[in-house]
Amino acid sequence: MRFATKALRVGQELDPQYRAVIPPLYQSATFGWEDLDHIPKFDYTRCGNPNRNTLEEVIAALENGKHCVAFASGMAAIVASFSLLQAGDHMLIASDIYGGTFRIGEKFLPRQGIQVGEFDAHHPETITAAVQPNTKLLIFETPTNPNLRVSDISAVVKVAKQHGLIVIFDNTFASPVLQNPLDLGVDIVVHSTTKYISGHSDVIGGAVITNNDEYYTTVYEWNKAVGAAPSPFDCWLSLRGVKTISCRMDVHCKNAQAVAEFLESHPRVSKVHYPGLPNHPDHAVAKRQMKAFGGMLAYEVDGTVAQARKACESTQVLLLAESLGGVESLIAYPPLMSHATMTEEQRVAKGIPPTLLRLSIGIEDAQDLIEDLDNSLKIAFA
Ligand SMILES: *Cc1c(COP(=O)(O)O)cnc(C)c1O
């Protein structure tokens, strides 16, 4: 089966009782045993549930992976992948990683005796400089938030493997439609399924995907032990969402390209960050590595901070909200949202000036998005 078909058919046989086309919702905490000689496939929903099982099969198939464990959130999935570490180990986090992952590395892992260092995924040689005798794994992601920088996944894997590191990759921003990091030698892929996989901004979820039996067993047992399992209904919703991921991503990418080109030509915009633009610093690697350039972009308003904030507050079609990957377009202000815990200095050092706005482009008519953004800039500069 090919990608779009897998999203619809993997693990989704007709329901054996009534031949329902859609898997029924098994909203049950526990399952009956026939007798004590036969352990049922599902016994307790923290450990497993038919809806979760179906979702895991589909996500594994979409990432070309052997195993998937679904979680109650993307962060729960990411933390679960760190269960491969123990006190005394060292790990490396890409310097432009998702803020939540950074927070775990900064605040919580050191308390558990795990040391955390940084590296720059755009310069894989920085791994060699940062590696220590006890370094066990690294985690990175591309495209990054909010500047949409794209690093070369294979190049990072190559250097990491020279040092025997486990490579974890957060594929949330690209989605499995645009790139499959396991095929490039990554050991573990994590997702916030809240975003493109579920696609409708109505559920929080996460997933860990791997071909490695040992990593799978540890991550599965962690989930069971700490109770980070998603609810049956959340799995049911995510399964419903993921069915359309292929055609949704097509429209996200086309719309984002159109919006990026419009913003690039706008006199009130000084810079557009979108890997689909030929002048983006990573356009070449993105073109080689990704099937298309994604639905996320950022732009810098060529004016004062007050004007940038006004533009951000003045859209009608685009909604002012955090998150991404849903069918509706969102506009976000990183200094008060995704990057609020950083100081202004830290943000500017990371290329996030206070005039930068981030967009998650949905599947509306692109012309409505363009007119809305044009109008918001008119209001801001009136
Ligand atoms: C949203 C997000 C997460 C966290 O996922 P939750 O589902 O909110 O816990 C992790 N990584 C990336 C890249 C994200 O965008």
Side-chain angles (χ1 to χ4, degrees), residues 73-76 78 98 101 141 170 172-173 192 194-195 204-205 324:
S73 71
M75 283 319 305
I78 289 166
Y98 177 73
T101 308
E141 65 196 45
D170 184 336
T172 301
F173 261 51
S192 167
T194 311
K195 317 293 169 53
I204 299 281
L324 61 120

Side-chain angles (χ1 to χ4, degrees), residues 189-210:
V189 166
V190 294
H191 273 285
S192 167
T193 57
T194 311
K195 317 293 169 53
Y196 289 108
I197 288 184
S198 295
H200 295 74
S201 309
D202 52 9
V203 60
I204 299 281
V208 172
I209 307 99
T210 182

Side-chain angles (χ1 to χ4, degrees), residues 294-313:
M296 297 299 298
L297 65 95
Y299 62 106
E300 291 171 33
V301 174
D302 194 8
T304 62
V305 176
Q307 284 165 327
R309 290 176 59 130
K310 189 72 189 163
C312 192
E313 291 168 337

Side-chain angles (χ1 to χ4, degrees), residues 172-173 175 192-203 241 244-245 247-249 251-253 255 294-296 317-319 321-331 358-364 369:
T172 301
F173 261 51
S175 91
S192 167
T193 57
T194 311
K195 317 293 169 53
Y196 289 108
I197 288 184
S198 295
H200 295 74
S201 309
D202 52 9
V203 60
T244 53
I245 191 168
C247 55
R248 276 190 282 113
M249 279 319 284
V251 183
H252 285 300
C253 296
N255 280 358
M296 297 299 298
V317 180
L318 288 113
L319 306 170
E322 287 204 79
S323 197
L324 61 120
V327 287
E328 58 286 298
S329 293
L330 305 178
I331 187 164
R358 191 192 79 174
L359 304 179
S360 170
I361 296 296
I363 64 168
E364 303 90 344
L369 299 175

Side-chain angles (χ1 to χ4, degrees), residues 11 23-32 40-58 68-71 216 220 223-224 228-239:
L25 172 62
Y26 291 92
Q27 188 70 37
S28 186
T30 186
F31 296 82
K41 178 164 181 194
F42 301 105
D43 59 354
Y44 187 61
T45 282
R46 170 157 48 76
C47 315
N49 173 282
N51 296 107
R52 176 177 144 194
N53 194 59
T54 308
L55 179 66
E56 289 171 340
E57 283 181 27
V58 176
C68 171
V69 186
F71 286 86
Y216 163 71
Y220 170 78
N223 192 357
K224 177 172 159 174
S231 78
F233 185 53
D234 283 358
C235 294
W236 190 93
L237 275 177
S238 297
L239 183 69

